[in-house]
Amino acid sequence: MYVKSLILNHYRNYSHLEANFGKERIYLTGENGVGKTNILEAIYFLTLGRSFRKAEAVDLIQKGEKEASLYLTYYSEEDNKDHSVSCVLGPDYKIFALDDEKVKSVSKILGKLIAVYYEPSLVFFFRAEPEGRRKFLDETLSQLSPSYLYALARYKKLLKERNSALQQDYDPDIIKVLRNQLINLSYRIVMERKELIKTLSQKGGDYYHRLFGSDEKKFTLTYKTTCPLDDDQDSYVKNALARFEANQSVESIRKVTVIGPHRDDLVGSLQGNDLADYGSQGENRLASLSLRLASLDILTERLKKRPLLLLDDITSDLDETRTKNLLTCLNQDEQIFLTGARIREGFENYSIYLCQDNQLHKKEDNQ
């Protein structure tokens, strides 16, 4: 698949933007703060209905305006047809449409347009709070399986109900019923995360080796969870119940559910040493980028179509050798969006688009 056009109205700094693209490698350039990242953000927003930055809906609407709109057309190899996905965005509402027909919820657009992104703040991915790492796992798995998204949404709802019951000292039998429901739902979530992390570790390690340019340090991933890891559901439920019983007094004191996938974490290591504690900023950057490229491969293999790859300001943090290694890793036959303040060596075969005066202009070869 590839993006053919993007229209933005009152989105971030763009009063009105119309841009057309081909199946090409695209490099968006321009001074800092001119809106390069906003274009990648808009594309990603139409895949999952949320920004890859920590932004509320109101933050995406141009100042002084009541609502914003995004409209994207893309070509799909699945049926050899053009399709569209769009959204009208207000301070407290999101109205999505697929092929110009309004859909009831954002879940209806999942899996249509798929994207993987990298942006500079991800250098802190393994050092930040676990919530961001769980979000990455959930976003990846939600694009792979609508049933995972349903199980996750149901789990979050039940978790909220159970925590509320604990805080209000509900009847213990009600709390146990909610516990049993949570355990059964968590089995699906944990098994999916377990399998994903195993594959990410294998592929991510390979990408780290290719980006780093040496096998001096091995990058691996570990699944850290309070849940059992039994493959058999009966064994999983039995061991989960035992863990809940062992932590009953802790729950009584803290008034929250302390066992479950809502407390999961993804730990990155180099040569067995925790990246968060011992990895340099450069090592953390390459590990995070390796993880994103690994997820791109997994989505491609499982969905039989290659997601869009959105790399924001990627080369400013890489030296010449790592930049060349990255360009070697990228699939040269698919559409890719990269941004940067300057055009570095290696991008001669990219289509260059200049962000200037709140517009996007394609630079011709003779310019």
Side-chain angles (χ1 to χ4, degrees), residues 132-151:
R133 294 184 286 278
R134 288 193 295 269
K135 179 182 176 183
F136 164 73
L137 295 173
D138 291 338
E139 287 181 348
T140 304
L141 287 167
S142 294
Q143 293 187 96
L144 288 169
S145 171
S147 57
Y148 177 89
L149 179 64
Y150 174 80

Side-chain angles (χ1 to χ4, degrees), residues 3 5-6 8 11 21 28 37-50 52 70 72 85 113-115 308 310 335 337:
V3 175
S5 67
L6 177 67
L8 303 177
Y11 182 88
F21 307 104
L28 308 179
T37 302
N38 295 342
I39 293 174
L40 300 194
E41 179 190 44
I43 294 172
Y44 189 82
F45 184 88
L46 292 172
T47 68
L48 287 174
R50 64 172 72 102
F52 57 63
L70 305 85
L72 181 149
V85 59
L113 186 68
I114 306 167
L308 303 170
L310 314 173
Q335 188 181 61
F337 286 85

Side-chain angles (χ1 to χ4, degrees), residues 70-121:
L70 305 85
Y71 191 94
L72 181 149
T73 61
Y74 66 96
Y75 173 79
S76 173
E77 288 88 351
E78 288 183 292
D79 56 7
N80 295 318
K81 292 182 179 179
D82 291 343
H83 296 278
S84 68
V85 59
S86 60
C87 179
V88 175
L89 182 64
D92 55 1
Y93 60 85
K94 303 174 186 176
I95 304 172
F96 288 92
L98 184 64
D99 290 335
D100 298 321
E101 292 189 9
K102 181 180 175 181
V103 296
K104 292 183 179 179
S105 68
V106 67
S107 64
K108 300 298 181 181
I109 71 168
L110 294 182
K112 304 301 181 182
L113 186 68
I114 306 167
V116 171
Y117 76 94
Y118 177 90
E119 49 93 16
S121 71

Side-chain angles (χ1 to χ4, degrees), residues 212-276:
F212 191 73
S214 167
D215 57 3
E216 178 185 344
K217 296 181 179 180
K218 185 178 180 181
F219 171 53
T220 57
L221 295 166
T222 304
Y223 185 16
K224 184 178 179 181
T225 181
T226 57
C227 301
L229 291 173
D230 305 78
D231 291 327
D232 176 71
Q233 187 168 2
D234 289 339
S235 298
Y236 176 90
V237 171
K238 178 182 177 181
N239 288 324
L241 284 170
R243 294 191 183 198
F244 268 93
E245 290 296 327
N247 285 274
Q248 189 173 356
S249 59
V250 177
E251 286 193 339
S252 297
I253 295 171
R254 296 178 58 183
K255 303 295 182 181
V256 292
T257 304
V258 298
I259 302 295
H262 61 286
R263 297 178 63 83
D264 282 355
D265 199 0
L266 174 65
V267 179
S269 303
L270 282 179
Q271 295 297 102
N273 295 316
D274 193 330
L275 263 171

Side-chain angles (χ1 to χ4, degrees), residues 56-68:
E56 300 296 332
V58 68
D59 299 322
L60 307 180
I61 302 171
Q62 190 176 36
K63 290 184 179 180
E65 300 294 334
K66 295 181 179 180
E67 65 179 23

Side-chain angles (χ1 to χ4, degrees), residues 13-32:
N13 64 305
Y14 294 106
S15 296
H16 178 73
L17 173 76
E18 292 189 32
N20 296 303
F21 307 104
K23 188 179 180 182
E24 56 196 350
R25 289 161 289 162
I26 297 164
Y27 192 91
L28 308 179
T29 190
E31 296 180 1
N32 292 328

